[in-house]
PDB file of all heavy atoms in Angstrom:
ATOM      1  N   GLU A 231     -17.543   5.915 -20.261  1.00 98.00           N
ATOM      2  CA  GLU A 231     -17.025   4.964 -21.286  1.00 98.00           C
ATOM      3  C   GLU A 231     -15.480   4.737 -21.252  1.00 98.00           C
ATOM      4  O   GLU A 231     -14.964   3.701 -21.328  1.00 98.00           O
ATOM      5  CB  GLU A 231     -17.451   5.550 -22.650  1.00 98.00           C
ATOM      6  CG  GLU A 231     -17.650   4.443 -23.663  1.00 98.00           C
ATOM      7  CD  GLU A 231     -18.175   5.096 -24.943  1.00 98.00           C
ATOM      8  OE1 GLU A 231     -19.145   5.826 -24.885  1.00 98.00           O
ATOM      9  OE2 GLU A 231     -17.557   4.906 -25.970  1.00 98.00           O
ATOM     10  N   VAL A 232     -14.769   5.874 -21.083  1.00 98.00           N
ATOM     11  CA  VAL A 232     -13.326   5.857 -21.060  1.00 98.00           C
ATOM     12  C   VAL A 232     -12.847   5.054 -19.845  1.00 98.00           C
ATOM     13  O   VAL A 232     -11.994   4.217 -19.888  1.00 98.00           O
ATOM     14  CB  VAL A 232     -12.703   7.240 -21.012  1.00 98.00           C
ATOM     15  CG1 VAL A 232     -11.222   7.260 -20.802  1.00 98.00           C
ATOM     16  CG2 VAL A 232     -13.037   7.963 -22.358  1.00 98.00           C
ATOM     17  N   ILE A 233     -13.509   5.335 -18.689  1.00 98.00           N
ATOM     18  CA  ILE A 233     -13.112   4.567 -17.438  1.00 98.00           C
ATOM     19  C   ILE A 233     -13.432   3.098 -17.648  1.00 98.00           C
ATOM     20  O   ILE A 233     -12.581   2.256 -17.261  1.00 98.00           O
ATOM     21  CB  ILE A 233     -13.883   5.165 -16.232  1.00 98.00           C
ATOM     22  CG1 ILE A 233     -13.617   6.619 -16.009  1.00 98.00           C
ATOM     23  CG2 ILE A 233     -13.676   4.335 -15.014  1.00 98.00           C
ATOM     24  CD1 ILE A 233     -12.224   6.959 -15.561  1.00 98.00           C
ATOM     25  N   GLY A 234     -14.519   2.837 -18.326  1.00 98.00           N
ATOM     26  CA  GLY A 234     -14.918   1.433 -18.597  1.00 98.00           C
ATOM     27  C   GLY A 234     -13.855   0.700 -19.471  1.00 98.00           C
ATOM     28  O   GLY A 234     -13.473  -0.409 -19.235  1.00 98.00           O
ATOM     29  N   GLU A 235     -13.396   1.411 -20.444  1.00 98.00           N
ATOM     30  CA  GLU A 235     -12.410   0.823 -21.398  1.00 98.00           C
ATOM     31  C   GLU A 235     -11.052   0.588 -20.697  1.00 98.00           C
ATOM     32  O   GLU A 235     -10.457  -0.486 -20.845  1.00 98.00           O
ATOM     33  CB  GLU A 235     -12.196   1.758 -22.603  1.00 98.00           C
ATOM     34  CG  GLU A 235     -13.324   1.756 -23.589  1.00 98.00           C
ATOM     35  CD  GLU A 235     -13.238   2.807 -24.614  1.00 98.00           C
ATOM     36  OE1 GLU A 235     -12.144   3.396 -24.782  1.00 98.00           O
ATOM     37  OE2 GLU A 235     -14.280   3.077 -25.281  1.00 98.00           O
ATOM     38  N   ILE A 236     -10.708   1.563 -19.854  1.00 98.00           N
ATOM     39  CA  ILE A 236      -9.400   1.384 -19.085  1.00 98.00           C
ATOM     40  C   ILE A 236      -9.568   0.210 -18.087  1.00 98.00           C
ATOM     41  O   ILE A 236      -8.651  -0.588 -17.888  1.00 98.00           O
ATOM     42  CB  ILE A 236      -8.986   2.668 -18.393  1.00 98.00           C
ATOM     43  CG1 ILE A 236      -8.765   3.737 -19.486  1.00 98.00           C
ATOM     44  CG2 ILE A 236      -7.781   2.545 -17.568  1.00 98.00           C
ATOM     45  CD1 ILE A 236      -8.483   5.131 -18.905  1.00 98.00           C
ATOM     46  N   ALA A 237     -10.722   0.089 -17.507  1.00 98.00           N
ATOM     47  CA  ALA A 237     -10.976  -0.965 -16.592  1.00 98.00           C
ATOM     48  C   ALA A 237     -10.876  -2.298 -17.295  1.00 98.00           C
ATOM     49  O   ALA A 237     -10.199  -3.255 -16.812  1.00 98.00           O
ATOM     50  CB  ALA A 237     -12.397  -0.823 -15.957  1.00 98.00           C
ATOM     51  N   GLU A 238     -11.455  -2.385 -18.464  1.00 98.00           N
ATOM     52  CA  GLU A 238     -11.393  -3.647 -19.166  1.00 98.00           C
ATOM     53  C   GLU A 238      -9.892  -3.992 -19.530  1.00 98.00           C
ATOM     54  O   GLU A 238      -9.440  -5.133 -19.352  1.00 98.00           O
ATOM     55  CB  GLU A 238     -12.198  -3.479 -20.476  1.00 98.00           C
ATOM     56  CG  GLU A 238     -12.742  -4.825 -21.005  1.00 98.00           C
ATOM     57  CD  GLU A 238     -13.802  -4.538 -22.052  1.00 98.00           C
ATOM     58  OE1 GLU A 238     -14.762  -3.826 -21.735  1.00 98.00           O
ATOM     59  OE2 GLU A 238     -13.638  -5.055 -23.207  1.00 98.00           O
ATOM     60  N   LYS A 239      -9.179  -3.006 -19.982  1.00 98.00           N
ATOM     61  CA  LYS A 239      -7.781  -3.218 -20.292  1.00 98.00           C
ATOM     62  C   LYS A 239      -7.044  -3.823 -19.130  1.00 98.00           C
ATOM     63  O   LYS A 239      -6.130  -4.674 -19.346  1.00 98.00           O
ATOM     64  CB  LYS A 239      -7.180  -1.804 -20.724  1.00 98.00           C
ATOM     65  CG  LYS A 239      -5.699  -1.775 -20.873  1.00 98.00           C
ATOM     66  CD  LYS A 239      -5.213  -0.371 -21.345  1.00 98.00           C
ATOM     67  CE  LYS A 239      -3.811  -0.112 -20.910  1.00 98.00           C
ATOM     68  NZ  LYS A 239      -3.414   1.275 -21.200  1.00 98.00           N
ATOM     69  N   HIS A 240      -7.322  -3.332 -17.898  1.00 98.00           N
ATOM     70  CA  HIS A 240      -6.560  -3.867 -16.708  1.00 98.00           C
ATOM     71  C   HIS A 240      -7.202  -4.988 -16.015  1.00 98.00           C
ATOM     72  O   HIS A 240      -6.775  -5.441 -15.024  1.00 98.00           O
ATOM     73  CB  HIS A 240      -6.381  -2.684 -15.677  1.00 98.00           C
ATOM     74  CG  HIS A 240      -5.392  -1.624 -16.144  1.00 98.00           C
ATOM     75  ND1 HIS A 240      -4.054  -1.675 -15.938  1.00 98.00           N
ATOM     76  CD2 HIS A 240      -5.579  -0.471 -16.872  1.00 98.00           C
ATOM     77  CE1 HIS A 240      -3.468  -0.562 -16.422  1.00 98.00           C
ATOM     78  NE2 HIS A 240      -4.388   0.146 -17.036  1.00 98.00           N
ATOM     79  N   GLY A 241      -8.299  -5.472 -16.624  1.00 98.00           N
ATOM     80  CA  GLY A 241      -9.062  -6.565 -15.927  1.00 98.00           C
ATOM     81  C   GLY A 241      -9.552  -6.143 -14.559  1.00 98.00           C
ATOM     82  O   GLY A 241      -9.494  -6.847 -13.610  1.00 98.00           O
ATOM     83  N   ALA A 242      -9.934  -4.888 -14.494  1.00 98.00           N
ATOM     84  CA  ALA A 242     -10.357  -4.288 -13.165  1.00 98.00           C
ATOM     85  C   ALA A 242     -11.762  -3.733 -13.256  1.00 98.00           C
ATOM     86  O   ALA A 242     -12.331  -3.752 -14.352  1.00 98.00           O
ATOM     87  CB  ALA A 242      -9.394  -3.187 -12.762  1.00 98.00           C
ATOM     88  N   ILE A 247     -10.358   1.575 -11.071  1.00 98.00           N
ATOM     89  CA  ILE A 247      -9.586   2.521 -11.894  1.00 98.00           C
ATOM     90  C   ILE A 247      -9.667   3.985 -11.329  1.00 98.00           C
ATOM     91  O   ILE A 247      -8.695   4.695 -11.237  1.00 98.00           O
ATOM     92  CB  ILE A 247     -10.153   2.554 -13.412  1.00 98.00           C
ATOM     93  CG1 ILE A 247      -9.990   1.171 -13.996  1.00 98.00           C
ATOM     94  CG2 ILE A 247      -9.442   3.653 -14.219  1.00 98.00           C
ATOM     95  CD1 ILE A 247      -8.578   0.597 -14.052  1.00 98.00           C
ATOM     96  N   LEU A 280      -1.590   2.482 -13.553  1.00 98.00           N
ATOM     97  CA  LEU A 280      -2.106   3.087 -14.748  1.00 98.00           C
ATOM     98  C   LEU A 280      -0.895   3.584 -15.547  1.00 98.00           C
ATOM     99  O   LEU A 280       0.087   4.080 -14.963  1.00 98.00           O
ATOM    100  CB  LEU A 280      -3.062   4.245 -14.422  1.00 98.00           C
ATOM    101  CG  LEU A 280      -4.324   3.809 -13.643  1.00 98.00           C
ATOM    102  CD1 LEU A 280      -5.167   5.031 -13.289  1.00 98.00           C
ATOM    103  CD2 LEU A 280      -5.122   2.776 -14.434  1.00 98.00           C
ATOM    104  N   THR A 283      -0.750   6.578 -21.003  1.00 98.00           N
ATOM    105  CA  THR A 283      -1.936   6.744 -21.950  1.00 98.00           C
ATOM    106  C   THR A 283      -3.211   6.751 -21.118  1.00 98.00           C
ATOM    107  O   THR A 283      -4.116   7.536 -21.414  1.00 98.00           O
ATOM    108  CB  THR A 283      -1.939   5.462 -22.894  1.00 98.00           C
ATOM    109  OG1 THR A 283      -0.649   5.341 -23.443  1.00 98.00           O
ATOM    110  CG2 THR A 283      -2.981   5.714 -24.056  1.00 98.00           C
ATOM    111  N   ASP A 284      -3.281   5.872 -20.128  1.00 98.00           N
ATOM    112  CA  ASP A 284      -4.486   5.868 -19.244  1.00 98.00           C
ATOM    113  C   ASP A 284      -4.635   7.251 -18.602  1.00 98.00           C
ATOM    114  O   ASP A 284      -5.739   7.815 -18.577  1.00 98.00           O
ATOM    115  CB  ASP A 284      -4.330   4.804 -18.104  1.00 98.00           C
ATOM    116  CG  ASP A 284      -4.180   3.358 -18.676  1.00 98.00           C
ATOM    117  OD1 ASP A 284      -4.623   3.069 -19.797  1.00 98.00           O
ATOM    118  OD2 ASP A 284      -3.481   2.668 -17.963  1.00 98.00           O
ATOM    119  N   MET A 285      -3.518   7.797 -18.118  1.00 98.00           N
ATOM    120  CA  MET A 285      -3.602   9.064 -17.375  1.00 98.00           C
ATOM    121  C   MET A 285      -4.025  10.200 -18.275  1.00 98.00           C
ATOM    122  O   MET A 285      -4.822  11.011 -17.905  1.00 98.00           O
ATOM    123  CB  MET A 285      -2.232   9.350 -16.705  1.00 98.00           C
ATOM    124  CG  MET A 285      -1.856   8.405 -15.554  1.00 98.00           C
ATOM    125  SD  MET A 285      -3.079   8.166 -14.223  1.00 98.00           S
ATOM    126  CE  MET A 285      -2.759   9.734 -13.227  1.00 98.00           C
ATOM    127  N   ARG A 287      -5.817   9.894 -21.080  1.00 98.00           N
ATOM    128  CA  ARG A 287      -7.235   9.766 -21.357  1.00 98.00           C
ATOM    129  C   ARG A 287      -8.074  10.241 -20.254  1.00 98.00           C
ATOM    130  O   ARG A 287      -9.105  10.913 -20.459  1.00 98.00           O
ATOM    131  CB  ARG A 287      -7.513   8.270 -21.652  1.00 98.00           C
ATOM    132  CG  ARG A 287      -6.870   7.735 -22.973  1.00 98.00           C
ATOM    133  CD  ARG A 287      -7.396   6.341 -23.295  1.00 98.00           C
ATOM    134  NE  ARG A 287      -8.709   6.438 -23.843  1.00 98.00           N
ATOM    135  CZ  ARG A 287      -9.543   5.326 -23.960  1.00 98.00           C
ATOM    136  NH1 ARG A 287      -9.133   4.167 -23.556  1.00 98.00           N
ATOM    137  NH2 ARG A 287     -10.709   5.483 -24.558  1.00 98.00           N
ATOM    138  N   ILE A 288      -7.735   9.883 -19.000  1.00 98.00           N
ATOM    139  CA  ILE A 288      -8.528  10.322 -17.892  1.00 98.00           C
ATOM    140  C   ILE A 288      -8.446  11.880 -17.692  1.00 98.00           C
ATOM    141  O   ILE A 288      -9.430  12.577 -17.403  1.00 98.00           O
ATOM    142  CB  ILE A 288      -8.159   9.579 -16.565  1.00 98.00           C
ATOM    143  CG1 ILE A 288      -8.421   8.128 -16.788  1.00 98.00           C
ATOM    144  CG2 ILE A 288      -8.931  10.147 -15.403  1.00 98.00           C
ATOM    145  CD1 ILE A 288      -8.001   7.214 -15.640  1.00 98.00           C
TER     146      ILE A 288
END
Side-chain angles (χ1 to χ4, degrees):
E231 210 175 307
V232 170
I233 299 295
E235 285 169 16
I236 297 172
E238 208 166 304
K239 170 177 153 186
H240 288 272
I247 298 304
L280 300 178
T283 313
D284 301 330
M285 294 304 282
R287 292 189 75 195
I288 298 177

